[in-house]
Amino acid sequence: MRPSGRDLNEMRAVSIETGFTKHAEGSCLIKMGDTHVLCTATIEDRVPPFIKGSGLGWVTAEYGMLPRATNTRMRREAASGKQGGRTVEIQRLIGRALRAGVDRVALGERQITVDCDVIQADGGTRCASITGGWVALRLAVNKLMKTGDVISDPLVDPVAAVSCGIYAGQPVLDLDYPEDSEAGVDGNFIMTGSSKLIEVQMSAEGSVFSRAQMDQLMDLAEKGVAELAAAQKAATA
């Protein structure tokens, strides 16, 4: 039995509230169970120096957690003068995941920055950030198309992410913190809405896993991402 009482293949409740902030070109508050992330997308008429003049657009991301997003207060990274390794790794993951669903030629030579701020954490913050980040990106691109700044839709396929793992010997979908902290195997699956893989992060956290178990986790992830893609579509319709 899972601590939450969910079935092995059952997602946490997912909600996506769009237009959550006033100023950002795209924004949403995504809730996956008790993990809540504010995602905003900002459009800028510039690109990083390494692609300047190429005609290609760029999508990047930044990620952070509020001090009381967790059980105990975390010190703000700004107070220490630098980002932690985990933060850097996650925001790079978010950026490259979102870029996988973007036609950068159609986007044109502009940059969209997706900021993901974790308000409350209960496992799967990077997955929620990617899923909500795509919604914020979609809304921002909609504005570009409405004004005629972009003619052809540069978003070729939705991008979403979900965690899966082996908990108490069973493959489970969408781990919350009690499961994540005790899972024998933990993984994050980033996929497109058409079930194409973008990235898989898998690690044994105390027990090894078989090819058959890996296949079971892949099946669970595909189910979860399909549900998330449907939620994204409904939120941006």
Side-chain angles (χ1 to χ4, degrees), residues 117-197:
D117 293 287
V118 180
I119 298 172
Q120 183 172 282
D122 187 42
T125 62
R126 72 187 66 194
C127 294
S129 295
I130 291 169
T131 304
W134 178 264
V135 171
L137 180 62
R138 171 76 272 172
L139 296 172
V141 167
N142 285 351
K143 288 194 174 183
L144 286 172
M145 296 179 66
K146 186 175 181 179
T147 59
D149 293 319
V150 169
I151 305 302
S152 177
D153 190 354
L155 302 189
V156 294
D157 207 354
V159 175
V162 71
S163 63
C164 298
I166 307 294
Y167 173 78
Q170 296 289 332
V172 296
L173 173 64
D174 189 21
L175 284 71
D176 53 26
Y177 181 74
E179 294 170 333
D180 188 32
S181 61
E182 297 185 11
V185 176
D186 183 19
N188 299 298
F189 297 79
I190 301 97
M191 305 172 71
T192 68
S194 57
S195 300
K196 300 292 192 304
L197 286 169

Side-chain angles (χ1 to χ4, degrees), residues 13 33 35 37 50 53 104 109 111 113 124 131 179 192 221-222:
T35 289
V37 184
F50 65 88
R104 292 169 52 206
E109 200 163 315
Q111 174 172 288
T113 301
T131 304
E179 294 170 333
T192 68
E222 191 169 330

Side-chain angles (χ1 to χ4, degrees):
M1 178 67 70
R2 304 178 71 173
S4 63
R6 287 182 287 149
D7 292 336
L8 299 179
N9 66 348
E10 184 180 352
M11 295 278 292
R12 292 175 287 181
V14 176
S15 70
I16 303 174
E17 181 181 348
T18 58
F20 195 76
T21 65
K22 176 180 179 179
H23 299 294
E25 284 80 12
S27 70
C28 76
L29 177 69
I30 182 169
K31 297 181 179 180
M32 295 181 65
D34 284 333
T35 289
H36 303 170
V37 184
L38 171 62
C39 302
T40 59
T42 301
I43 303 169
E44 299 174 283
D45 288 324
R46 64 179 183 87
V47 291
F50 65 88
I51 59 170
K52 191 173 183 179
S54 67
L56 297 174
W58 189 248
V59 175
T60 188
E62 293 190 13
Y63 167 95
M65 296 181 70
L66 295 184
R68 277 315 303 266
T70 53
N71 287 333
T72 57
R73 185 185 187 275
M74 301 178 296
R75 189 184 184 200
R76 294 182 189 272
E77 292 184 324
S80 64
K82 64 177 182 178
Q83 291 180 311
R86 176 182 181 273
T87 297
V88 172
E89 183 263 325
I90 290 176
Q91 66 188 25
R92 287 177 176 171
L93 169 66
I94 298 167
R96 65 178 178 266
L98 296 178
R99 286 194 297 272
V102 176
D103 179 344
R104 292 169 52 206
V105 174
L107 180 60
E109 200 163 315
R110 59 178 52 85
Q111 174 172 288
I112 301 180
T113 301
V114 177
D115 288 292
C116 302
D117 293 287
V118 180
I119 298 172
Q120 183 172 282
D122 187 42
T125 62
R126 72 187 66 194
C127 294
S129 295
I130 291 169
T131 304
W134 178 264
V135 171
L137 180 62
R138 171 76 272 172
L139 296 172
V141 167
N142 285 351
K143 288 194 174 183
L144 286 172
M145 296 179 66
K146 186 175 181 179
T147 59
D149 293 319
V150 169
I151 305 302
S152 177
D153 190 354
L155 302 189
V156 294
D157 207 354
V159 175
V162 71
S163 63
C164 298
I166 307 294
Y167 173 78
Q170 296 289 332
V172 296
L173 173 64
D174 189 21
L175 284 71
D176 53 26
Y177 181 74
E179 294 170 333
D180 188 32
S181 61
E182 297 185 11
V185 176
D186 183 19
N188 299 298
F189 297 79
I190 301 97
M191 305 172 71
T192 68
S194 57
S195 300
K196 300 292 192 304
L197 286 169
I198 296 172
E199 187 160 339
V200 176
Q201 300 177 327
M202 288 289 298
S203 61
E205 303 284 351
S207 64
V208 296
F209 57 101
S210 66
R211 173 63 180 271
Q213 287 175 314
M214 178 68 177
D215 290 342
Q216 288 178 307
L217 295 177
M218 283 292 305
D219 290 341
L220 288 174
E222 191 169 330
K223 175 183 182 294
V225 166
E227 293 179 17
L228 291 171
Q232 289 173 323
K233 184 177 181 180
T236 56

